[in-house]
Amino acid sequence: SWFLQELPSFLVPFLLVVCAPRPGTHGCTLLLLTFCAHYFQRTFIYSLFTRGRPTPLNIMLMAVVFCSYNGFLQGHCMVYSAEYPDGWYTEGHFMAGILMFFIGMGINIHSDRILRNLRKPGEETYRIPRGGMFNYVSGANFFGEIVEWFGYAIATWTLPAFTFAFFTLCSIGPRAYHHHRFYLKKFTDYPKIGRA
């Protein structure tokens, strides 16, 4: 189900670029490709390795709707609305945003790998994730994704990207907080890092 729910976030903006009557500027295309790079990884790579529990059908369908809509908003904005002047790639907000995006993506991918390797196949025992950003925050995978999307928003400097970054913070930020509280209750030896 992960593959199906994430696919529209990759496919919709990709098709908007391919089918656009007039291609966007190089800056728009490059920025949209960073968005697609995240969802290529989440759709085609992460879904192959994830060993989570089955997702209820209604949750998967809501995710498909959200991913389709968000993919359309980000793609439409980059293909038809956003324009960047010559030298856009030298502007501070672009460089800072792209750097944040790739740092966040790296944290997210590395943290997912740590979480995947916590259990053996078929095992359901909870373990404390250690290493990488888990040494500093309980929800390192969530933290990485939040950093990633705020980086994208800063780089693109568009309302749809900032809206998505804020939505990401509001939707997975509480999940990070609940994971942190769960670890504190479940494990008496959980490090007192004090951050979700």
Side-chain angles (χ1 to χ4, degrees), residues 7-17 67-73 75:
L7 183 60
S9 287
F10 171 77
L11 200 54
V12 171
F14 180 78
L15 289 174
L16 281 169
V17 168
C67 288
S68 299
Y69 185 67
N70 186 51
F72 176 78
L73 280 179

Side-chain angles (χ1 to χ4, degrees), residues 74-89:
Q74 303 305 324
H76 189 274
C77 180
M78 286 293 116
V79 172
Y80 295 106
S81 301
E83 292 184 19
Y84 298 98
D86 292 338
W88 59 275
Y89 51 86

Side-chain angles (χ1 to χ4, degrees), residues 15-78:
L15 289 174
L16 281 169
V17 168
V18 171
C19 298
R22 64 171 184 86
T25 64
H26 293 300
C28 295
T29 303
L30 176 65
L31 288 167
L32 191 56
L33 285 175
T34 60
F35 180 87
C36 289
H38 168 88
Y39 281 105
F40 180 86
Q41 193 277 331
R42 297 302 277 180
T43 303
F44 298 102
I45 299 169
Y46 176 80
S47 66
L48 290 176
F49 295 107
T50 190
R51 294 189 308 242
R53 295 183 184 114
T55 304
L57 182 61
N58 65 329
I59 300 290
M60 187 196 77
L61 292 175
M62 286 188 291
V64 167
V65 169
F66 173 79
C67 288
S68 299
Y69 185 67
N70 186 51
F72 176 78
L73 280 179
Q74 303 305 324
H76 189 274
C77 180
M78 286 293 116

